[in-house]
Amino acid sequence: MTTANPLRFRLSTTSEPLEIVPARLIVAGYTGRDEEAVAAHIAELAAIGVPPPPTVPTFYDLDPALLTTEPVVSVGSDDTSGEVEPVIIRHGGRHYLGIGSDHTDREIEKTDISSSKAACPKPLGEVILPLPDDLAGFDWDAITAGSEVDGRPYQSGTLAALRSPDDLLKRLAVALPDTDGDVVVFGGTFPLLTGEFVFGTSWRLQFRLGDGTSLTHAYETTGRRSV
């Protein structure tokens, strides 16, 4: 893996800057709390050629150099798409909540999921929320989430649909016990409103917390387009 570039954030509570150079990037997949729905989703993907995961949830250990807060990212294929995800950042023994997109090459995904994720940058919002020490006591279920692509609604839901970050981090520690130190973990996403991927170029992500706080990010993709 290459050395990650420093990621520069601002705290939502104080606007204080925070610079992080993560040692690991972990993208979690199949993180829905409804295990029957997850199994049905895996079957749907299998029907279009996407291989089933080895475990549920699954953790993809990727290059942290893929992480970026830039508003424009380059992709190498026409068949890529993003999605809104909670991002848990561990830095200096503390945890922070961010918003990000597991942008993925959907053509590669049909044969190799890990490679499809490694093929694209992982956009992150610049504003992050400091979390309490007791992650289990934080009201994750009150957080609503949504995404748009090219100005059209793409996803909508609440974090109640996903495994809570404290649960996910415990499972991660078992699956990848060497993930000490600073790490960025993408926590999974929601079904698409239409059930179909959209290979757009303009992406908008939003979380709204129970106290009214918002975390947002917008990014554009550039790269090869069909002629």
Side-chain angles (χ1 to χ4, degrees):
M1 292 186 181
T2 58
T3 301
N5 295 319
L7 297 171
R8 296 177 176 85
F9 298 105
R10 288 184 293 110
L11 301 185
S12 64
T13 49
T14 63
S15 295
E16 177 185 352
L18 182 67
E19 183 173 288
I20 299 174
V21 182
R24 302 287 288 274
L25 163 61
I26 308 296
V27 174
Y30 308 100
T31 61
R33 290 189 203 176
D34 185 333
E35 295 183 2
E36 290 185 2
V38 171
H41 178 56
I42 291 171
E44 289 173 349
L45 292 176
I48 61 172
V50 179
T55 62
V56 177
T58 297
F59 299 99
Y60 302 97
D61 194 358
L62 302 179
D63 190 338
L66 293 170
L67 293 164
T68 179
T69 57
E70 295 297 321
V72 178
V73 301
S74 179
V75 296
S77 166
D78 290 348
D79 301 321
T80 73
S81 66
E83 56 199 26
V84 62
E85 297 209 13
V87 179
I88 302 300
I89 299 167
R90 186 176 67 210
H91 169 66
R94 289 210 58 184
H95 291 92
Y96 304 85
L97 172 65
I99 190 169
S101 174
D102 174 22
H103 210 91
T104 297
D105 188 308
R106 303 302 175 183
E107 187 61 31
I108 297 176
E109 188 177 40
K110 294 178 182 178
T111 56
D112 189 328
I113 296 176
S114 183
S115 294
S116 73
K117 295 180 180 298
C120 298
K122 300 295 179 238
L124 282 169
E126 289 185 336
V127 178
I128 58 177
L129 174 72
L131 293 171
D133 293 336
D134 179 17
L135 293 181
F138 189 74
D139 192 1
W140 301 105
D141 293 1
I143 300 176
T144 61
S147 68
E148 296 180 358
V149 55
D150 296 338
R152 300 189 301 273
Y154 192 55
Q155 293 170 284
S156 181
T158 73
L159 295 198
L162 303 176
R163 293 184 184 272
S164 62
D166 54 302
D167 174 41
L168 201 62
L169 291 175
K170 289 175 183 176
R171 293 172 183 271
L172 172 61
V174 174
L176 298 173
D178 60 341
T179 49
D180 295 329
D182 291 0
V183 63
V184 174
V185 181
F186 280 61
T189 194
F190 311 91
L192 309 180
L193 293 175
T194 65
E196 297 181 353
F197 292 126
V198 174
F199 305 135
T201 58
S202 178
W203 300 86
R204 296 186 62 84
L205 321 171
Q206 183 179 48
F207 286 155
R208 185 171 293 277
L209 283 67
D211 64 1
T213 300
S214 290
L215 297 177
T216 63
H217 186 51
Y219 69 97
E220 307 280 333
T221 59
T222 64
R224 184 176 66 85
R225 304 302 302 174
S226 298
V227 294

